[in-house]
Amino acid sequence: MKQRVELTLERIISLADEMPSQDEIEKAHTFATIKVLIDWLREANRDFNNDNGYASEKLINIEWSAAAIAGLDDGNGHDEDLHLSWLRGEVDSAGSELALGAME
């Protein structure tokens, strides 16, 4: 399970990295894909990680930044580059031993 979680988190980063160069429709499609991956991570967190609150918070933040990059949220006025940086940091935190990465 740990490996699948790590691969999923890596995929979220690679998808998010592509978003700034995409047009509006492509960004929406990429966000939808990221959202599906986040939803699976939420299920895994609930089922295999005792619904770790820290991980849940990180997943909310990842989704928010991805939505902002996609233009589906105003992102509190912050630009794509900052949201991409935040998303990468939240993914790293979610994958830490304190959260999703701790699952066996």
Side-chain angles (χ1 to χ4, degrees), residues 26-85:
E26 291 169 324
K27 285 181 180 182
H29 288 176
T30 301
F31 173 75
T33 302
I34 290 172
K35 174 76 169 106
V36 168
L37 296 174
I38 290 169
D39 287 345
W40 178 81
L41 289 170
R42 283 188 176 118
E43 286 180 31
N45 184 47
R46 183 183 61 245
D47 296 344
F48 301 103
N49 206 26
N50 300 315
D51 205 15
N52 181 301
Y54 181 78
S56 294
E57 178 185 326
K58 296 302 168 185
L59 293 172
I60 289 167
N61 294 338
I62 293 165
E63 185 175 339
W64 175 64
S65 282
I69 297 165
L72 301 172
D73 188 288
D74 71 0
N76 289 344
H78 302 290
D79 66 18
E80 280 183 348
D81 291 337
L82 187 54
H83 275 284
L84 187 55
S85 176

Side-chain angles (χ1 to χ4, degrees), residues 1-44:
M1 180 59 68
K2 183 177 178 178
Q3 182 180 17
R4 184 170 177 197
V5 167
E6 289 170 352
L7 290 171
T8 302
L9 289 166
E10 287 174 18
R11 180 54 54 103
I12 288 171
I13 288 175
S14 67
L15 288 165
D17 282 346
E18 295 174 11
M19 289 173 76
S21 65
Q22 295 175 336
D23 66 30
E24 194 174 287
I25 300 298
E26 291 169 324
K27 285 181 180 182
H29 288 176
T30 301
F31 173 75
T33 302
I34 290 172
K35 174 76 169 106
V36 168
L37 296 174
I38 290 169
D39 287 345
W40 178 81
L41 289 170
R42 283 188 176 118
E43 286 180 31

